[in-house]
Amino acid sequence: MHLRPVQFVDTPVGLEDGSVARLAGGMQWFAAYEVREGTSRRTVPVARFGQALGGSPRAEALHAAFTTPRAPWVIGPRTLCFDQPQVAAILNTTPDSFSDGGRHAGDPAAAADSGMAMAALGAAVIDLGGESTRPGAAPVWEGDEIARTAPVVERLARGGALVSIDTRKAAVMEAALAAGAGIVNDVAALLWDDRALEVVAKAGCPVILMHSPDPEKGGHGGGGYTDVLTEVFDWLEARVAAVVAAGVPRSRIMIDPGIGFGKSLADNLALMNGLALFHGLGCPIMLGASRKRMIGALSNEAPVDARLGGSLALALKGAEAGVQLLRVHDVAETVQALHVWRGLRDRALMG
């Protein structure tokens, strides 16, 4: 069984008690669940949840996950709250990333300056990477990746920024955490490097686990899906359980459905439309759709540097689904869009 919140409402004000539920402690309220069991679909109002699904332990557990607020991450002197969508700024120190490769390669000071500027523009997290994960990218030796990232982490942390290290390699994680990073963001969900899970568990740091169909081999393989939404959910559910069993608290785990990693355009669209389902994992959600190939596919093959409009559309789609962290290239524009979205939500919640 899978549940997906549907029938979102502007405000609970004036509605009967128990007729709507708040999604994950955020700014969204919903009035019903889409219940998926195999190929069947039905809609159950929140008001009738106890009658229709109350006898199912699976449904009860999912309902609790959907309606429980996400605990903030306290990371040293910084606190990352999840009661509204926030921005994680993408900062690459690679020569070959698909969007901005080469801009900051070989210049830690300039990279750190760029990161601090994005923090000043409103980014809650600076997501720093030293290896491209685009399809066909050449692997990077861990020593080179450390040399690209650790000096930048140190400068950013010294400046007061909250840094996540975007890497699959345990040694890079260790070096970044020692330099002041607070979060590990692994596109391989701690499966590419045999030591990665041990490093995260020992450090006690929060971790972001992303779905890809073949993480041990780069994340862009896979043979297609029958139901991409539930299959990605099930994979992440199992992976979260394994990471929790290894000693990482569920409250320190964020999940990412992996838009663009081993997925077709139709798969990515289905994931975007069904994002609310992933709150059933009981973890905050990261969405990384900025400048992705799907935008070009839907806009006359727009090049990477001409995908701002599509990136903002996907970011706001994520916000509407209760996504807590939006990983983006265009920080100022996304923050402004979220400010306007927040104003609309605040006014709507007043009734």
Side-chain angles (χ1 to χ4, degrees):
M1 178 190 291
H2 298 84
L3 303 182
R4 180 170 70 94
V6 294
Q7 297 180 15
F8 286 84
V9 301
D10 284 339
T11 178
V13 175
L15 302 178
E16 292 185 15
D17 288 346
S19 63
V20 295
R22 188 178 183 182
L23 182 60
M27 302 188 70
Q28 301 296 84
W29 299 76
F30 63 99
Y33 286 113
E34 179 190 67
V35 182
R36 296 177 167 223
E37 294 179 282
T39 58
S40 72
R41 304 283 188 274
R42 60 191 170 109
T43 301
V44 173
V46 167
R48 293 190 60 251
F49 178 85
Q51 297 167 277
L53 298 168
S56 164
R58 169 72 168 174
E60 293 278 8
L62 288 170
H63 180 63
F66 283 119
T67 56
T68 299
R70 304 295 179 250
W73 284 353
V74 178
I75 307 167
R78 302 295 302 273
T79 299
L80 184 62
C81 295
F82 300 121
D83 56 348
Q84 62 178 305
Q86 300 204 67
V87 165
I90 298 169
L91 179 61
N92 291 315
T93 56
T94 57
D96 59 344
S97 286
F98 85 96
S99 182
D100 60 354
R103 181 189 294 181
H104 304 303
D107 192 342
D113 287 346
S114 178
M116 293 307 299
M118 290 190 286
L121 289 170
V125 178
I126 307 300
D127 189 50
L128 175 68
E131 178 183 48
S132 174
T133 54
R134 63 179 173 79
V140 176
W141 176 54
E142 63 185 29
D144 289 339
E145 192 174 340
I146 290 170
R148 291 176 180 178
T149 55
V152 182
V153 172
E154 185 176 0
R155 287 172 168 82
L156 289 170
R158 192 165 60 236
L162 178 56
V163 182
S164 61
I165 182 66
D166 181 359
T167 185
R168 303 175 292 178
K169 301 182 181 71
V172 180
M173 296 174 192
E174 289 174 321
L177 292 169
I183 302 167
V184 167
N185 179 17
D186 186 356
V187 298
L190 306 179
L191 286 167
W192 195 83
D193 189 316
D194 291 341
R195 285 202 312 116
L197 179 51
E198 176 189 349
V199 167
V200 169
K202 182 178 178 181
C205 64
V207 63
I208 303 167
L209 306 175
M210 194 198 79
H211 171 271
S212 64
D214 197 3
E216 295 93 339
K217 296 182 180 179
H220 290 285
Y225 303 88
T226 301
D227 182 346
V228 66
L229 198 57
T230 57
E231 289 174 44
V232 171
F233 181 97
D234 291 347
W235 189 94
L236 285 168
E237 186 174 37
R239 191 63 196 140
V240 169
V243 172
V244 169
V248 180
R250 182 178 293 265
S251 61
R252 304 287 270 181
I253 298 173
M254 181 178 288
I255 62 91
D256 180 341
I259 298 295
F261 280 77
K263 301 173 181 75
S264 68
L265 174 60
D267 293 334
N268 290 320
L269 292 171
L271 288 171
M272 290 298 307
N273 282 330
L275 279 172
L277 177 134
F278 293 99
H279 292 288
L281 294 167
C283 302
I285 300 171
M286 171 181 269
L287 176 64
S290 177
R291 301 186 185 176
K292 287 287 177 74
R293 173 73 182 85
M294 66 180 294
I295 300 170
L298 293 170
S299 51
N300 200 31
E301 300 302 327
V304 169
D305 61 358
R307 296 177 184 173
L308 174 59
S311 297
L312 293 176
L314 295 176
L316 292 176
K317 180 71 171 178
E320 286 290 317
V323 167
Q324 288 91 351
L325 195 59
L326 299 162
R327 183 177 182 272
V328 307
H329 298 85
D330 302 291
V331 174
E333 295 85 350
T334 307
V335 168
Q336 184 180 77
L338 288 176
H339 283 167
V340 174
W341 178 87
R342 173 66 192 265
L344 293 167
R345 293 300 304 136
D346 286 347
R347 181 62 185 90
L349 287 168
M350 292 169 63

